[in-house]
Amino acid sequence: MAVICIPLYIFLQCTWGSIQTCAGFFLFLRYRKCPHRFLGGAIHTGWGRRDGISLGLFIFSPECKQPDGLVIHEYGHTFQSLLLGPLYLPVIGIPSALWANGRKYKELRQRYGVPYSFFFAESWADRLGKKMTDKFKWISMAWQAAKAAGNDGIYEGGKADGQKT
């Protein structure tokens, strides 16, 4: 099943989700020297910032480690991209960026204790990310196996961990 799903996921992100995948690719090039790894068809980059973003095939989060809440959330956004295609940025991307970074919304969340997931796009991404990582438990198992073998699958500056320079 996974052998069929990943190529289909990549194909759909590169066609139906091409706008955000292209934007993600340019961001990926900007952070090409940061650590990267594959996550169920997506390319996950640890970019050293405190926030996360998903653009098509590309996920950016503070660290490139085993999936945590933020990475699973961002992985959920990649499935929103699959479902919405060219509507992803106006329906999810831009409103999410405003919800995350807008001064008015930050104040609202702080003053009234409104959770980040209160916003529809964020709660939907949480649900999708959890559902898809639960469905594809092999994602986590593959990382555990690679780590046990001495290679955690992280690629830095174009070379895999464990490669000699």
Side-chain angles (χ1 to χ4, degrees):
M1 175 76 170
V3 174
I4 295 169
C5 290
I6 289 179
L8 181 60
Y9 171 92
I10 293 169
F11 175 76
L12 289 173
Q13 290 288 17
C14 291
T15 55
W16 180 238
S18 62
I19 297 168
Q20 50 272 17
T21 294
C22 284
F25 178 70
F26 288 118
L27 199 57
F28 173 81
L29 291 177
R30 163 72 176 84
Y31 291 96
R32 69 186 171 275
K33 293 187 179 184
C34 292
H36 311 287
R37 77 167 8 142
F38 290 100
L39 172 63
I43 299 169
H44 175 211
T45 299
W47 65 350
R49 293 176 41 156
R50 292 182 0 178
D51 56 350
I53 188 171
S54 296
L55 291 165
L57 275 176
F58 300 92
I59 297 171
F60 302 88
S61 72
E63 295 184 67
C64 193
K65 294 186 176 180
Q66 180 144 354
D68 59 8
L70 176 62
V71 175
I72 290 170
H73 170 84
E74 294 302 333
Y75 191 53
H77 280 305
T78 72
F79 286 94
Q80 291 173 326
S81 170
L82 286 178
L83 294 168
L84 297 173
L87 297 175
Y88 173 79
L89 289 176
V91 173
I92 302 293
I94 295 169
S96 288
L98 292 173
W99 177 250
N101 301 306
R103 187 184 58 167
K104 179 172 106 177
Y105 298 118
K106 284 182 178 181
E107 288 172 5
L108 174 83
R109 289 195 307 271
Q110 286 178 339
R111 180 174 296 151
Y112 298 105
V114 175
Y116 186 74
S117 62
F118 179 78
F119 188 58
F120 83 96
E122 305 307 330
S123 59
W124 186 22
D126 285 345
R127 288 191 311 273
L128 280 172
K130 175 142 180 40
K131 182 177 181 178
M132 298 314 287
T133 52
D134 284 350
K135 185 173 183 170
F136 299 112
K137 289 196 184 292
W138 56 267
I139 293 171
S140 181
M141 292 184 325
W143 279 355
Q144 291 298 328
K147 192 167 191 156
N151 177 1
D152 63 6
I154 296 175
Y155 298 88
E156 297 194 40
K159 69 176 192 208
D161 275 359
Q163 280 186 342
K164 300 198 178 171
T165 54

